[in-house]
């Protein structure tokens, strides 16, 4: 069965610093992978997705993620953090008929 | 606005009661998914409907049920409510039953508090 593990339930970075949120997946088939962001009191919003093709995927708000099959990873990065990036981030992969989500990583930005 | 509408936004009810959560999918989307989000369990998949038919079932309790109507809106019914059912309930939609590679569009959720 497909599964997703997000390393670190909380990540704190300074404004302007690199953001790195880690995600590893387990899938018996070529995976479709997603990152979602959840701002306080809101639903989840799609940041980016990997289906096939280029392994470096660019998303909204300056985020990008790289699919590394050899490492079964799909880490999310952003070169320079903004205060507005403070939110919870979820990695997901496709399962049977549904998306399977990781436990989430809460990102805090320090001024 | 994502295009997925959930009502009500907030719901406070007593233990033992029954509530109905409603979801209208994005225009053109045929699939509706229900998820429960709690602090200790994270995002848990409950159930999926595609064009009126149940397509997949997850960790949904027997006290919970759902349906999708001909106009494609969906309702999640929660009965004999317990304190532990307090959570955010999200609805998401996608175009096709197997079109999960496009990702979902989520609604803003219903926050259920059982007292």
């Amino acid at each position: 069965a497909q599964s997703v593990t997000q390393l670190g339930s909380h990540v704190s970075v300074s404004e302007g610093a690199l953001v790195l949120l880690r995600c590893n997946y387990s899938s018996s088939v070529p995976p479709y992978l997603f990152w979602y962001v959840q701002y306080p009191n809101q639903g989840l919003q799609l940041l980016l997705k990997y289906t096939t093709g280029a392994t470096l995927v660019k998303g909204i708000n300056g985020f990008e993620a790289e699919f590394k099959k050899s490492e079964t990873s799909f880490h999310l990065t952003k070169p320079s953090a903004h205060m507005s990036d403070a939110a919870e981030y979820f990695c997901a992969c496709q399962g049977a008929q549904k998306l399977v989500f990781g436990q989430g990583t809460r990102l805090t930005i320090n001024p | 606005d994502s295009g997925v509408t959930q009502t009500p936004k907030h719901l406070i009810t007593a233990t033992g009661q029954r509530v109905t959560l409603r979801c209208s999918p994005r225009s053109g989307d045929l699939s509706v998914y229900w998820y429960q989000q709690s602090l200790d369990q994270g995002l848990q998949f409950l159930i999926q409907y595609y064009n009126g038919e149940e397509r997949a079932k997850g960790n949904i309790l027997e006290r919970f049920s759902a349906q999708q109507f001909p106009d494609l809106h969906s309702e999640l019914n929660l009965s004999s409510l317990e304190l532990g059912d307090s959570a955010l309930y999200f609805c998401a939609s996608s175009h096709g039953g197997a079109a999960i590679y496009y990702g979902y569009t989520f609604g803003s959720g219903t926050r259920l508090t059982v007292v």
Side-chain angles (χ1 to χ4, degrees):
Chain A
Q2 289 78 10
S3 66
V4 172
T5 302
Q6 291 184 239
L7 303 176
S9 59
H10 290 88
V11 170
S12 182
V13 303
S14 298
E15 191 174 19
L18 171 71
V19 175
L20 171 60
L21 304 182
R22 301 177 188 273
C23 171
N24 288 90
Y25 68 90
S26 172
S27 176
S28 58
V29 297
Y32 297 133
L33 297 162
F34 306 82
W35 275 100
Y36 282 83
V37 60
Q38 184 181 25
Y39 297 104
N41 301 314
Q42 294 187 27
L44 280 74
Q45 179 184 0
L46 181 65
L47 267 180
L48 49 79
K49 63 179 183 287
Y50 169 78
T51 53
T52 58
T55 56
L56 183 62
V57 180
K58 294 188 184 299
I60 62 172
N61 301 337
F63 284 93
E64 61 184 35
E66 186 171 12
F67 169 63
K68 292 188 177 180
K69 184 178 178 181
S70 61
E71 299 177 7
T72 61
S73 68
F74 191 57
H75 301 333
L76 181 71
T77 60
K78 182 173 180 178
S80 177
H82 294 166
M83 296 299 293
S84 59
D85 295 326
E88 186 134 19
Y89 292 80
F90 293 90
C91 183
C93 72
Q94 100 286 2
Q97 302 294 337
K98 65 184 186 294
L99 290 185
V100 176
F101 288 86
Q103 286 293 97
T105 297
R106 183 167 299 279
L107 176 64
T108 302
I109 311 297
N110 301 313
Chain B
D1 182 7
S2 68
V4 178
T5 303
Q6 288 188 249
T7 57
K9 291 193 183 304
H10 302 277
L11 200 49
I12 301 175
T13 191
T15 54
Q17 295 299 303
R18 181 180 188 275
V19 297
T20 297
L21 312 183
R22 182 187 169 101
C23 170
S24 294
R26 194 178 55 166
S27 178
D29 286 355
L30 301 178
S31 278
V32 170
Y33 308 78
W34 286 97
Y35 280 79
Q36 178 193 58
Q37 185 181 34
S38 60
L39 282 175
D40 55 343
Q41 296 290 327
L43 268 167
Q44 296 290 313
F45 170 71
L46 296 179
I47 198 163
Q48 178 210 358
Y49 280 83
Y50 173 72
N51 205 21
E53 294 187 1
E54 183 183 304
R55 181 63 68 92
K57 215 168 197 179
N59 300 323
I60 188 166
L61 300 172
E62 286 191 10
R63 300 183 285 108
F64 296 0
S65 64
Q67 55 184 326
Q68 185 179 29
F69 294 87
D71 66 352
L72 301 178
H73 92 271
S74 177
E75 293 180 357
L76 179 66
N77 300 297
L78 316 176
S79 61
S80 302
L81 284 167
E82 302 174 358
L83 295 178
D85 297 327
S86 296
L88 260 174
Y89 291 85
F90 283 108
C91 168
S93 71
S94 69
H95 182 66
I100 52 178
Y101 46 81
Y102 293 126
Y104 299 157
T105 300
F106 277 86
S108 56
T110 293
R111 181 173 295 279
L112 173 66
T113 303
V114 182
V115 297

